Amino acid sequence: MKKYTVEEITKINYTDFISLIKETNRCPGGKDTIRKIVQNTFIDENSRVLDVGSNTGFTSLELSHISKAKISGIDVSEACVNTANALLATDIEEVRKRVDFQVGSAYEIPFENDTFDLVVTGGATSFMDKKQQAISEYKRVLKPWGFLSATQLFYTTKPPQAVVDAVSNAIGVTINPWLEQDWKNVFLETQESGVLELYYYEKNELQSRPADVIEEYMEYFMAKDHLKEYSEDVRNAIRKKWKMYIDVFNENHKYLGYFISLFRKTQYPEEPELFIRK
Ligand SMILES: C[S@@+](CC[C@H](N)C(=O)[O-])C[C@H]1O[C@@H](n2cnc3c(N)ncnc32)[C@H](O)[C@@H]1O
């Protein structure tokens, strides 16, 4: 594993940094979200799943642990793919056989048409400028009647511009301060070529955390064995940078919620249903 100097720590980008500290980057809602995705898409050992923006591997591995499906994770960050592969190497053989990670972009997904029963994206679409191109690609690689799962952070109220700017600077991506409906529109707008039906939807609010909880979380990271190998100077630089990220994200969480949405690649439009539940 690459060893960083103080200067490099101050310069590396967000994805390289979380790969360095081996953060378990999760989709919004973590394991609870992944359970709901599996329960509502009926995937099993015969299914193939694509995790777009698989980061350090959490979602792909958890999907594999609870579903037995074959999972492929892609991410544009080579550092994240390396960290995901290192984590995969520590898992049981059965999981190692079912999961693979590779560098790849949502804009040009390195798989044939109609390959997957489920395409999962947990927060990654926020990182993309060409959202419609990515969503067209998600649909292209989905089998007919396959599911697209998009779990997405959104703003519950309009956040101060300073908060949006701070998050954008931290992660190196210009964040759109979109509300729930803006995100729903992005996915539903893609109906023109083939039908993408909203199949399941739930939303939840998020919260910022108190200073003592954050302090404990910081200590947990700094106690990781692989970070103990660094000199005091480098450890201080890592701590300072991680605290900067956490403070920015914590402020942002005052204004955030997330939704879990499942869309289905239907093959024809469904007739309207008149008598629906109250
Ligand atoms: C918030 S993280 C996703 C977390 C992840 N879903 C999980 O459960 O751990 C966003 C990820 O999207 C990746 N990403 C950004 N643009 C991408 C693209 N065009 N194609 C694939 N991945 C991309 C980033 O490198 C980053 O790892």
Side-chain angles (χ1 to χ4, degrees):
M1 176 160 253
K2 176 171 169 35
K3 284 272 178 259
Y4 289 94
T5 63
V6 170
E7 208 194 340
E8 285 169 337
I9 298 283
T10 56
K11 285 188 184 154
I12 56 174
N13 66 24
Y14 171 65
T15 46
D16 285 352
F17 184 77
I18 60 174
S19 303
L20 157 69
I21 63 168
K22 299 189 183 171
E23 189 222 8
T24 304
N25 202 262
R26 298 174 174 90
C27 59
K31 278 193 297 202
D32 179 57
T33 294
I34 295 166
R35 175 166 45 78
K36 285 172 181 155
I37 293 170
V38 169
Q39 286 174 332
N40 289 293
T41 60
F42 321 104
I43 54 168
D44 60 23
E45 67 274 18
N46 299 314
S47 307
R48 285 200 66 183
V49 180
L50 175 70
D51 179 12
V52 179
S54 49
N55 199 269
T56 47
F58 176 80
T59 296
S60 296
L61 290 170
E62 183 61 11
L63 280 169
S64 153
H65 296 156
I66 64 173
S67 80
K68 314 272 182 286
K70 183 168 171 9
I71 321 284
S72 299
I74 61 166
D75 201 291
V76 284
S77 161
E78 192 177 350
C80 284
V81 170
N82 291 341
T83 303
N85 272 323
L87 185 59
L88 175 62
T90 65
D91 214 315
I92 58 169
E93 191 186 354
E94 204 192 316
V95 171
R96 292 202 307 272
K97 280 189 190 153
R98 288 201 303 264
V99 180
D100 62 87
F101 295 105
Q102 61 172 291
V103 176
S105 173
Y107 300 149
E108 221 169 303
I109 295 177
F111 289 97
E112 300 287 310
N113 295 355
D114 303 346
T115 301
F116 295 100
D117 301 279
L118 168 64
V119 173
V120 173
T121 164
T125 314
S126 306
F127 283 61
M128 298 172 200
D129 295 331
K130 296 183 260 179
K131 294 179 175 48
Q132 291 304 342
Q133 184 175 330
I135 294 168
S136 297
E137 279 290 275
Y138 304 160
K139 282 202 310 176
R140 179 184 67 73
V141 297
L142 263 186
K143 288 179 188 168
W145 299 108
F147 289 97
L148 166 63
S149 161
T151 305
Q152 190 57 57
L153 293 173
F154 63 85
Y155 286 103
T156 50
T157 52
K158 196 170 165 16
Q161 190 56 41
V163 170
V164 179
D165 291 345
V167 177
S168 300
N169 277 335
I171 64 175
V173 174
T174 306
I175 291 292
N176 305 310
W178 282 354
L179 305 178
E180 180 188 11
Q181 191 57 43
D182 299 316
W183 275 108
K184 269 177 137 174
N185 291 344
V186 163
F187 285 97
L188 288 169
E189 263 170 23
T190 61
Q191 289 200 353
E192 77 295 349
S193 55
V195 181
L196 207 54
E197 169 202 13
L198 184 58
Y199 184 84
Y200 175 87
Y201 191 80
E202 74 163 61
K203 65 175 164 173
N204 298 294
E205 288 192 10
L206 286 161
Q207 56 182 324
S208 63
R209 308 304 305 276
D212 58 329
V213 173
I214 289 181
E215 204 43 48
E216 205 178 303
Y217 183 73
M218 294 295 304
E219 290 317 314
Y220 161 81
F221 273 91
M222 296 317 295
K224 285 191 175 192
D225 283 343
H226 77 289
L227 295 185
K228 282 189 189 153
E229 289 167 16
Y230 282 102
S231 68
E232 207 44 41
D233 281 358
V234 176
R235 281 175 58 78
N236 286 340
I238 292 172
R239 185 176 220 294
K240 193 171 163 205
K241 186 152 180 152
W242 191 212
K243 183 70 167 49
M244 177 277 290
Y245 281 127
I246 295 296
D247 286 346
V248 167
F249 296 154
N250 201 41
E251 189 58 26
N252 197 36
H253 269 74
K254 291 181 182 164
Y255 310 95
L256 286 179
Y258 71 92
F259 63 70
I260 305 169
S261 62
L262 295 175
F263 297 89
R264 191 161 60 153
K265 187 178 172 179
T266 55
Q267 300 303 295
Y268 41 80
E270 190 180 337
E271 217 172 59
E273 190 176 4
L274 183 58
F275 298 110
I276 54 173
R277 76 174 182 207
K278 271 190 186 171

